[in-house]
């Protein structure tokens, strides 16, 4: 059954908007775990627009499940990760002016830097994942880099405007997941997933974790964080149960 990783970046976004010390992303992480989250995801960006260094240090102490630190290939951020030692590091592309991550890491173009980062983090017993587009060349490069897992970028699927376009992107993700597994990679998925589209991704054979943030934090404004996490967890669990029952 796919696990649910909850990204708490936007709790910190709200805090930073007013320069206050609340809402606290660490408190959010505790609530998410109570509600059934299997991991806590946060992105320590180079511009520190939301999550701060102090947050990551405290999260490392407080998270009881798994701490997944999203990060760029920046030597500074790699050094911080090596010192703090999250359970997992997910390497992502990063642009200063983007609103959110715009695509997958180009593991082909930046293979040397990527492989070096994987090596440096692995030597500190940090499991490394590459956030990449569902493209065979990228998946092959990820496998060659030494990373044991990937996270498939689901943005094109989430942004599809028609049913046929969405199905096309879903098929691409299914093929990518199958190919990655054939290379021995564990497969996660995320980006743009919401309450009305996560089920299809959760139903892809072999995907073991969905990482979701913005939609959960947005829903929490109306329902509370614990209920929002529980609802998303139920969607994921029900999808895999239904897939099992139809075999």
């Amino acid at each position: 059954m796919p696990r649910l990783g909850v990204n708490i970046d936007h709790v910190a976004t709200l805090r930073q908007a007013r320069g206050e010390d609340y809402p606290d992303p660490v408190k959010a992480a505790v609530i998410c775990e109570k509600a059934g989250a299997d991991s806590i995801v946060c992105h320590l960006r180079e511009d520190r627009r939301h999550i701060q260094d102090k947050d990551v240090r405290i999260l490392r102490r407080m998270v009881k499940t798994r701490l997944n630190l999203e990060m760029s290939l920046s030597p500074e951020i790699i050094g911080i990760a090596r010192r703090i030692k999250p359970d997992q590091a997910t390497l992502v592309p990063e642009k200063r002016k983007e609103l959110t991550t715009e695509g997958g890491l180009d593991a082909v173009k930046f293979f040397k830097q990527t492989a070096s980062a994987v090596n440096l983090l692995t030597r500190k017993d940090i499991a490394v994942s590459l956030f990449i587009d569902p493209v065979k060349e990228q998946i092959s490069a990820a496998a060659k880099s030494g990373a044991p897992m990937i996270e498939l970028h689901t943005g094109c699927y989430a942004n599809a405007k028609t049913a046929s376009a969405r199905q096309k992107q879903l098929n691409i993700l299914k093929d990518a997941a199958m190919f990655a597994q054939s290379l021995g990679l564990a497969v996660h998925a995320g980006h743009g997933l919401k309450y009305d589209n996560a089920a299809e991704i959760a139903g892809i054979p072999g995907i073991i974790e969905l990482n979701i943030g913005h939609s959960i934090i947005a829903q929490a404004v109306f329902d509370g964080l614990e209920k929002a996490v529980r609802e998303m967890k139920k969607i994921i669990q029900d999808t895999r149960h239904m897939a099992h029952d139809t075999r």
Side-chain angles (χ1 to χ4, degrees):
M1 185 177 297
R3 302 187 297 257
L4 172 62
V6 178
N7 188 309
I8 57 171
D9 288 349
H10 290 303
V11 176
T13 297
L14 185 58
R15 176 192 63 190
Q16 299 303 114
R18 287 288 296 268
E20 300 284 356
D21 58 1
Y22 66 90
D24 183 3
V26 176
K27 183 176 180 180
V30 172
I31 294 171
C32 290
E33 288 188 315
K34 179 182 178 183
D38 299 292
S39 67
I40 300 299
V41 186
C42 64
H43 185 173
L44 184 64
R45 294 183 68 106
E46 293 174 50
D47 62 11
R48 307 302 199 271
R49 68 174 62 170
H50 38 56
I51 294 294
Q52 305 297 305
D53 299 58
K54 180 181 178 181
D55 297 325
V56 182
R57 291 195 296 270
I58 298 174
L59 285 165
R60 173 66 287 182
R61 298 199 304 269
M62 296 297 293
V63 168
K64 305 300 183 184
T65 53
R66 291 168 37 248
L67 178 61
N68 178 1
L69 180 64
E70 293 185 339
M71 53 185 287
S72 70
L73 294 172
S74 160
E76 178 210 6
I77 303 298
I78 292 172
I80 291 171
R82 281 168 55 86
R83 291 194 296 273
I84 293 176
K85 296 182 181 180
D87 300 290
Q88 178 180 327
T90 299
L91 300 177
V92 303
E94 190 173 309
K95 299 176 184 177
R96 289 297 177 96
K97 294 184 179 181
E98 65 187 359
L99 290 176
T100 184
T101 305
E102 296 176 344
L105 177 70
D106 192 337
V108 175
K109 182 177 180 180
F110 300 107
F111 180 79
K112 184 176 180 180
Q113 298 96 312
T114 300
S116 175
V118 170
N119 179 54
L120 288 169
L121 294 164
T122 301
R123 283 163 51 188
K124 290 293 184 178
D125 296 321
I126 301 168
V128 184
S129 177
L130 304 189
F131 178 72
I132 58 175
D133 292 327
V135 176
K136 285 188 175 182
E137 291 78 8
Q138 296 294 338
I139 296 169
S140 295
K144 291 176 183 176
S145 77
M149 69 187 93
I150 59 169
E151 179 177 344
L152 293 175
H153 176 230
T154 55
C156 291
Y157 160 82
N159 294 328
K161 302 300 182 184
T162 66
S164 60
R166 180 164 157 169
Q167 185 61 50
K168 178 181 178 180
Q169 293 301 324
L170 182 63
N171 290 339
I172 289 172
L173 287 163
K174 288 179 178 179
D175 290 344
M178 185 181 299
F179 179 66
Q181 291 172 77
S182 75
L183 298 181
L185 293 166
V187 185
H188 301 181
H191 198 79
L193 298 181
K194 307 178 182 68
Y195 291 86
D196 63 354
N197 66 12
E200 286 186 323
I201 303 302
I204 295 175
I207 286 187
I208 61 175
E209 182 165 297
L210 301 186
N211 293 313
I212 305 174
H214 184 265
S215 63
I216 290 176
I217 302 305
Q219 190 64 29
V221 173
F222 304 104
D223 292 341
L225 184 54
E226 185 171 346
K227 182 179 178 182
V229 173
R230 290 189 188 280
E231 183 178 348
M232 184 62 80
K233 179 90 172 187
K234 185 176 186 300
I235 288 171
I236 293 172
Q237 291 178 330
D238 287 352
T239 300
R240 191 50 61 93
H241 282 315
M242 287 188 290
H244 179 77
D245 290 342
T246 57
R247 290 174 186 172

